[in-house]
Amino acid sequence: MNPSADSDHQPPPNPPVRGDRNAVDPVVERFHFLVNAPALFNAVVTALEWDLFGMLAKHPGASFEELRRATGVPAHSLRVLLHAVCTTGLLERQADGAYHNAPAADELLVPDGPDSWRHILTGWKEIYYPAFTRMSEALAAGTNTALAAHPGDEPTLYRRLSHNPELETVFHRSMSAFTLKSLDSLVECEEFATVRHLLDVGGGDGTTSEQLIARHPGLRSTIFDIPSVSQLAAEHNTAGEADRERIALHPGDLFADPFPAGADAVLFSHVLEIFSGEQITELLTKAYSALPSGGRVFVYGYNVSDDETRGWYSARLSLYLNVLASGQGMAYPARDYEEWARRAGFTGVRTLTDHPYEHGLTIGTKA
Ligand SMILES: C[S@@+](CC[C@H](N)C(=O)[O-])C[C@H]1O[C@@H](n2cnc3c(N)ncnc32)[C@H](O)[C@@H]1O
């Protein structure tokens, strides 16, 4: 059974605010979306897996029957899924029954490159969101109890993922895609024009270093990460061959092992937020010791607003860190990073704000 064109009607409006049938309180509206969002999130991921957005980009106005033939799924399942995705506004169904991507879906969900939202949402579906069912328990315990779902006895998700290479690849593809979305303003930062040798601590699969060396011809980078992730970085290789020679890999543990010598700048991108204030001070102190006089530290990542009331992306990250990844850390406000950098000995500490996706870049110099 497929939805017939003549039964088409607009979804009911949001429930009216008490006492005023016309006004819609945006918080009430957001509440109604929010409480249905976990189901709708998964519906959007299913639509991606069935390539519905890709098909409709190639064949705008496809009918239900055309979509059913292309997906090969039961008609009733497709009916249910299309309704769910239409409620988000990402798909539109015309009165004649033709389906179209909304402009936002064409922009966000059709592209399939390394920065695709497909990769990001797959990582969230496979790794982040299953863990959030244990949120109350983990937050009450004050530790990442959801990590029990991953084999191993290491205390963080990053190190346990090395037992599951397939999931580790999903994680880093998702991380890399999100990093690419938030990276341009870091890469364009003129401070990097005068860096000669960067130590990219927790540099993951090399996405950030590759973008930096491509933009700054005088720069080379050493990526310091755990051995299984260094292996992913060795295989990642999206940089050209000449550029690739400017990237070195240094497998190790950033707490147990010394920082390699020789860099004139240290970058922590999406790394310090994983840890406690004491651990962050320890890592910044290690960076300070490894740098020559005049060397700089760069801390890039999510910053909550100073009043700690805003930032959906930061909130999601902080919850993920505490429930699953490390059992501590958060998208700290910039002033916390500045304080820890000064405590480690850095001077001229300041934060460049207003980077995309709630990001900030804190910079300090070794006198
Ligand atoms: C959130 S990812 C950030 C990756 C990359 N810097 C970026 O911005 O896309 C954190 C990285 O820190 C690494 N990491 C976590 N704990 C580590 C440890 N103890 N020693 C070395 N690397 C570690 C992880 O393997 C992972 O690649």
Side-chain angles (χ1 to χ4, degrees), residues 14 31 34 76-77 86 109 115 132 160 236 239 252 265-266 270 275 281 286 300 304 319 342 362:
N14 288 300
F31 170 82
L34 174 67
H76 183 70
S77 306
C86 283
L109 298 173
D115 68 341
F132 287 155
R160 280 203 196 183
H236 190 245
V266 176
H270 303 123
F275 303 112
T281 307
K286 279 178 92 163
Y300 191 59
V304 291
L319 291 165
R342 287 190 196 99
T362 301

Side-chain angles (χ1 to χ4, degrees), residues 66 193 320:
E66 285 166 333
Y320 148 77

Side-chain angles (χ1 to χ4, degrees), residues 158-159 171-172 175 179 200-204 208 224-226 229 252-255 269-271 274-275:
Y158 310 99
R159 290 169 56 202
F171 175 87
H172 284 279
M175 180 75 227
T179 290
D200 184 0
V201 179
T208 305
F224 184 17
D225 210 300
I226 56 180
V229 178
D253 184 286
L254 55 90
F255 288 104
S269 170
H270 303 123
V271 170
I274 298 168
F275 303 112

Side-chain angles (χ1 to χ4, degrees), residues 278-295:
E278 291 72 32
Q279 289 173 309
I280 292 171
T281 307
E282 180 185 339
L283 292 173
L284 288 168
T285 304
K286 279 178 92 163
Y288 186 88
S289 303
L291 284 168
S293 172

